[in-house]
Amino acid sequence: MTQPHRPDLTKDVASASASPAPSAAARSVLASDAEREAMVERLREATAEGRLTLEELAERSEAAYLARTREELASVGEDLPHVTAPPTAGSGQRSFRALVGDLVHQSPALEHGIEATAVLGDITLDLCSSPAPPTGELTIVAKALVGDVHLLLPEGVRVEMNCSKVFGDLRDLTRAHSGPESVTPRVRVNGSAVFGDIIVAHPSSDRRSYWQKWLDERRGRA
């Protein structure tokens, strides 16, 4: 009696295993600014925990800011436990970066706040001609890593600096404002200086600004 034909299962398995694998040349996913900031924050935490030295903090923070892909960014903290997950979408904050070079920008929009980061370079932001935020309050996140952040503010604003420093310097060169707080524009500067400086000052010329217009309007209603 003739036996029924059995399919060659070995051949079928071999054919299935021979299906093309995903291309190894596929592009790596690019890292976002939020992911870089999350990594730098984890590095600061690791330094406070005694896992990194100050020199390692500076070197790794620089590498994090310069990382182009998530793979490069992950390698910065691959030997650290519990790496912080990257934050969700941003709040519309304007970001300015001077990476291995200098950047000068005038009159940026201030409505949602500003982030200024200098890595192996200097960044100068002139805010004197920018329309003041509707609330009269502005938050600036400044990070100076082996570089300087210069912030030029108009006369008549109150400055509050809440920054940390590691072999860096924090300087508020603005003139003290003695007006009532209820009608005084307020600028809060948060961030850190690691082997760099964060400097807040008035411009050399005494020119009238949108901030002064805001102040005059508030005084008129007071």
Side-chain angles (χ1 to χ4, degrees):
M1 182 176 178
T2 305
Q3 295 294 328
H5 174 71
R6 291 177 177 274
D8 187 348
L9 298 180
T10 304
K11 181 179 179 181
D12 292 342
V13 171
S15 299
S17 62
S19 57
S23 173
R27 284 188 174 182
S28 298
V29 178
L30 296 177
S32 68
D33 288 341
E35 290 168 332
R36 295 186 187 93
E37 294 297 343
M39 177 58 74
V40 172
E41 182 58 33
R42 177 61 190 120
L43 295 175
R44 293 194 189 100
E45 294 173 358
T47 304
E49 294 164 359
R51 301 181 191 275
L52 298 176
T53 65
L54 294 179
E55 183 179 0
E56 289 171 330
L57 170 62
E59 292 175 350
R60 295 196 187 200
S61 296
E62 177 187 344
Y65 281 124
L66 296 177
R68 286 284 296 156
T69 66
R70 285 180 174 176
E71 183 180 6
E72 293 175 354
L73 185 60
S75 68
V76 175
E78 61 185 357
D79 56 349
L80 299 177
H82 311 300
V83 175
T84 306
T88 54
S91 58
Q93 183 183 60
R94 292 290 307 276
S95 295
F96 299 92
R97 281 171 167 69
L99 305 179
V100 196
D102 298 340
L103 173 67
V104 177
H105 192 89
Q106 293 185 338
S107 309
L110 307 178
E111 184 176 359
H112 300 292
I114 282 180
E115 178 190 32
T117 303
V119 180
L120 291 175
D122 296 342
I123 183 169
T124 300
L125 296 182
D126 186 345
L127 311 183
C128 295
S129 297
S130 297
T135 61
E137 294 193 358
L138 169 67
T139 297
I140 300 174
V141 178
K143 298 178 181 179
L145 178 62
V146 198
D148 298 338
V149 175
H150 303 266
L151 304 171
L152 299 181
L153 303 178
E155 297 277 358
V157 300
R158 190 183 304 274
V159 177
E160 296 179 359
M161 293 191 72
N162 301 295
C163 303
S164 61
K165 61 179 181 178
V166 179
F167 295 110
D169 196 12
L170 308 172
R171 284 183 279 172
D172 178 6
L173 304 181
T174 60
R175 285 173 277 282
H177 187 67
S178 58
E181 292 194 16
S182 61
V183 294
T184 302
R186 186 191 310 271
V187 177
R188 295 185 176 92
V189 182
N190 304 326
S192 58
V194 180
F195 292 98
D197 300 338
I198 299 175
I199 303 171
V200 184
H202 296 309
S204 55
S205 61
D206 185 17
R207 58 183 187 270
R208 186 175 175 81
S209 68
Y210 283 98
W211 296 75
Q212 186 63 45
K213 179 181 177 181
W214 181 93
L215 180 59
D216 291 344
E217 292 174 350
R218 290 294 296 270
R219 284 173 172 167
R221 293 196 297 266

